[in-house]
Amino acid sequence: MVNLLQVTAEYRARAWGGKRLGPAAGGGGPVGEAWLVYEHNRVPGGPYAGRTLAEVTATEPEALLGPAVAAAAGGRFPLLLKLLDCADWLSVQVHPTDAQAAQLAGPGHLGKTEAWHILEAAPGARLIAGVQPGADPAALPAAIRNGTVLDFVQYHPVHAGDTVYIPAGTLHALGPGLFLYEIQQTSDITYRIYDWNRPASQGRALHLEESVIAVNPALAGEAHPAPRLAEDDLQRVLATPFFALDVITAARAERVANTEGAAFHALTVIEGAAEVHSGGEAVTLNRYASVIVAAGAGAYTIQPLGACRLLRGLPGGV
C-alpha cells in the first residue's frame, strides 16, 4: 500500500452550477460539483494506476482505511468529498438515514449525513436548514406534497469559514452565491421536494413520498461559526459519528501529523499550495487538489509553499 494516494476528480454539470469549477465537458451546462474523493474516482498513476478508489479499498482495506474503519465500513471507502459552486438555489431536499436508505433504495445503500464548510459567500448569502420554530410538524407532509414547503423552511445567513452540519433527515437547500467544501457519507441518495419551478426532467424528478418518510421536522442543522486561526494552526471544526473535519493553516513551519495506523486522513488545499511527505513519498497539492494519507502511513508532514490552508477529512470516531 502506498502512503499517499491521489484520485482524479470528476466534474458534474448542474442546473444551478456556476463558473468557478470551469466549463462542463461536452457542453453539458454549468459545473456545479467537483467530486474530489469518491469511491469510483480513478487513480491516475503509480502501482494502482487505472483502478478506482473502491478497487484499491477492496485490495488493501485495513492499510488504507484502518482496521476499525474497514470493519465498520464493510469494505467501502466511507466518505465522499466535494466542492459545490452554487449560482442558483439547489432544490429543497432531504437525505435518508442508513435504515431509510435500505428500506427505500434497497439493501447495501447508505444514508447521507453531510456537512458544508463555506469557502466563499456573497453578501447576503443564505441557506435553508430545518423547519421554522413553532411550525406544526403534522402539517409538513401536506406541504411537501402540495408544493408549499417554502412556508415551513428556516433560512440561515452564512459566511466564509462557517461549517454547517446537516444530519440525515434535515430539510435543506443551498442558496446562490455560495462556494463550499462538502464532506458526507458515501451516498448519492437525494429526495427532492421543491425545485424552484425549474423544468422537470428525468434527472431532476421530485421524490415527494420518499421525502415524507425521510424528513425529520425536529432537525435544523448545526451552524458553527468560523474559528479564529493563527497562521500555523490546527482546529477541529466538526466531530460526528460519521466524519470529522479539521482546518489546518501553515505559513512558515511544516506541520507534522500521524495517522497512528488508525484511520486515513483526506487532505484538500483550499488556499495556497503545500507539499505532503510520508515514508519517502511526496505529493504537491495546488489549490483544490486532494490526497489521501493511508492509515498505514503513520507519520507525515505538510510543508507549506507560502501561506496555505487545508481541510482534513477523517472517518467518524477518530
Side-chain angles (χ1 to χ4, degrees), residues 83-98:
L83 297 174
L84 279 73
D85 182 12
C86 312
D88 199 354
W89 278 102
L90 277 68
S91 61
V92 180
Q93 57 190 242
V94 66
H95 305 302
T97 63
D98 288 346

Side-chain angles (χ1 to χ4, degrees), residues 215-312:
V215 72
N216 183 343
L219 298 176
E222 299 174 16
H224 303 263
R228 294 178 179 269
L229 294 163
E231 65 177 12
D232 291 286
D233 206 349
L234 186 156
Q235 291 195 36
R236 179 147 296 178
V237 293
L238 192 64
T240 80
F242 301 96
F243 44 75
L245 184 63
D246 298 333
V247 180
I248 300 170
T249 56
R252 294 188 298 269
E254 72 175 14
R255 166 76 51 184
V256 179
N258 200 314
T259 67
E260 306 289 350
F264 67 90
H265 294 184
L267 305 174
T268 301
V269 170
I270 57 171
E271 292 180 13
E275 290 181 351
V276 181
H277 298 261
S278 180
E281 301 174 27
V283 169
T284 299
L285 299 179
N286 293 315
R287 196 178 192 189
Y288 306 138
S290 300
V291 67
I292 302 163
V293 183
Y300 67 95
T301 60
I302 300 169
Q303 180 66 53
L305 302 177
C308 67
R309 184 177 301 215
L310 302 90
L311 295 176
R312 180 169 69 180

Side-chain angles (χ1 to χ4, degrees), residues 10-14 16-25 29-34 84-86:
E10 295 181 6
Y11 295 85
R12 304 199 175 196
R14 297 289 186 257
W16 42 262
K19 298 180 179 179
R20 292 179 180 89
L21 298 174
V31 173
E33 300 184 3
L84 279 73
D85 182 12
C86 312

